[in-house]
Amino acid sequence: MQLRRAGAGTALIDPVPFGGDLSPLAPALADAEWVLHAANQDLPCLAEAGLVPGKLFDTELAGRLAGLPRVGLGPMVEQLLGLSLEKGHGAADWSRRPLPEDWLVYAALDVEVLVELRDVLTRMLAEQGKLEWALQEFEAVRTAPPPAPRAEPWRRTSGIHRIRKPAALAIVRALWEARDALAAERDIAPGRVLPDSAIIDAAANPPASPQALAAMPVFRGRAQRRLTSYWWAAIEKARRLDPAELPAASTPGDGPPPVSRWVDRDPAAAARLAAARAALSRIGSEHNVPVENLLLPDLLRRLCWSPPEDGDVAGYLRRGGAREWQIELLTDVLTQALAARP
């Protein structure tokens, strides 16, 4: 964890020796504004460590609202501050201990200019009349509840669209669960234990024996060969399942169907969505804000698929988590879009 405060310099704190509990730091940080880049990626982990901000500034989100073409930390620092951040260790295995000196320098530089970047972005947003928008967005990120656990997280395996049969999906599930357990035991990212591509390959082309498994790409590597019996046990477990225990080929979603099917299933909904998207695209261009930051795409789809019967678009947006600036900006145009006909 990197901390920087004016007058105090930069501090790097390793949570591992503290068992992941950094709550003793909370009183010292309670009154400070936290400046983070892409805060929604960091806040869940920080909350698990006992740290929750009382005030937040997200430089990535600010860059989006300010209309910057690239909102990665490096490009933003280069464009707005004229500095270049050191590159090279972003994809490194940060579970390694001890961390090399150059990695520590890299981590420290990540927060070196965040406060200066915040100051520039604040001025830009104020000049564009978007500072209040940004403050509402930051507060929404800060107070967002943790996402509900997925019922079947293994279905997020990259490439799973290639797997259709329940028996093959059972292998994906078994290998995913075995990998997840091993990753938790080793305290490393699951993808570093076994990549998704290897799981999908084993499910799409099920090996007939441990030897056949060990001959497959990835599994024949030195590190994986030591785990052949472990992975084979997971595959065998999947194969022994009764038909009733196999996963379904697909799971019903709780939202609208894929947009590609709307024209056939509900032409009126398709017309509403087309009109709404056109309106948001126009407003996004007028204000130089990405459309996805004007309104969550999922909320827009739900609104167009099942408009509120009472016509209260503002209330629908508010219940869906839209911020007040979004409601004020979009209610009228979305109300008009919902009147569109095929």
Side-chain angles (χ1 to χ4, degrees), residues 12-231:
L12 302 179
I13 301 174
D14 186 353
V16 173
F18 303 100
D21 180 15
L22 299 180
S23 57
L25 283 173
L29 303 176
D31 298 329
E33 178 185 62
W34 292 22
V35 183
L36 301 175
H37 191 79
N40 60 345
Q41 298 179 19
D42 295 326
L43 290 180
C45 299
L46 291 168
E48 288 182 5
L51 298 176
V52 178
K55 187 178 180 183
L56 176 69
F57 191 104
D58 186 332
T59 51
E60 187 212 33
L61 188 48
R64 291 182 180 278
L65 293 175
L68 296 181
R70 296 190 299 165
V71 294
L73 181 57
M76 287 178 64
V77 167
E78 187 169 349
Q79 178 182 345
L80 300 181
L81 301 179
L83 302 173
S84 296
L85 293 180
E86 183 177 349
K87 303 175 183 178
H89 302 301
D93 179 8
W94 289 87
S95 64
R96 171 182 171 183
R97 293 296 183 276
L99 293 172
E101 181 72 20
D102 57 330
W103 292 22
L104 297 176
V105 172
Y106 172 85
L109 290 176
D110 240 13
V111 298
E112 189 78 11
V113 294
L114 277 181
V115 172
E116 290 83 352
L117 186 60
R118 175 204 61 189
D119 294 342
V120 173
L121 288 165
T122 298
R123 289 194 295 272
M124 290 180 64
L125 291 167
E127 291 168 358
Q128 297 175 13
K130 301 175 186 174
L131 184 56
E132 178 57 31
W133 297 5
L135 295 177
Q136 291 182 29
E137 290 298 307
F138 301 157
E139 185 64 7
V141 172
R142 187 188 73 83
T143 59
R150 294 183 179 276
E152 295 181 306
W154 59 271
R155 289 189 184 271
R156 300 286 291 179
T157 305
S158 179
I160 199 170
H161 62 278
R162 295 170 45 201
I163 309 301
R164 301 292 186 184
K165 296 181 179 179
L169 287 170
I171 293 177
V172 173
R173 180 176 63 185
L175 286 173
W176 188 97
E177 291 175 347
R179 180 187 69 175
D180 200 54
L182 190 56
E185 179 184 322
R186 295 180 174 181
D187 193 24
I188 59 176
R192 293 190 177 278
V193 175
L194 186 70
D196 283 2
S197 59
I199 293 177
I200 297 301
D201 193 21
N205 307 284
S209 65
Q211 293 75 21
L213 174 65
M216 298 182 73
V218 178
F219 290 99
R220 62 172 170 244
R222 181 183 302 176
Q224 295 301 335
R225 288 182 70 87
R226 291 196 292 266
L227 293 169
T228 297
S229 60
Y230 182 75
W231 302 128

Side-chain angles (χ1 to χ4, degrees), residues 211-302:
Q211 293 75 21
L213 174 65
M216 298 182 73
V218 178
F219 290 99
R220 62 172 170 244
R222 181 183 302 176
Q224 295 301 335
R225 288 182 70 87
R226 291 196 292 266
L227 293 169
T228 297
S229 60
Y230 182 75
W231 302 128
W232 180 251
I235 293 173
E236 283 289 273
K237 177 183 176 182
R239 283 177 166 158
R240 289 194 297 267
L241 294 175
D242 293 331
E245 298 176 298
L246 295 176
S250 62
T251 56
D254 66 346
V259 173
S260 59
R261 302 177 188 170
W262 284 30
V263 171
D264 294 329
R265 294 188 57 176
D266 190 338
R272 292 192 293 265
L273 181 61
R277 283 177 165 175
L280 263 63
S281 179
R282 184 180 67 254
I283 292 175
S285 297
E286 290 173 358
H287 294 278
N288 198 20
V289 174
V291 170
E292 62 270 20
N293 290 107
L294 288 176
L295 192 67
L296 287 175
D298 180 66
L299 181 56
L300 179 64
R301 289 191 294 269
R302 289 175 183 268

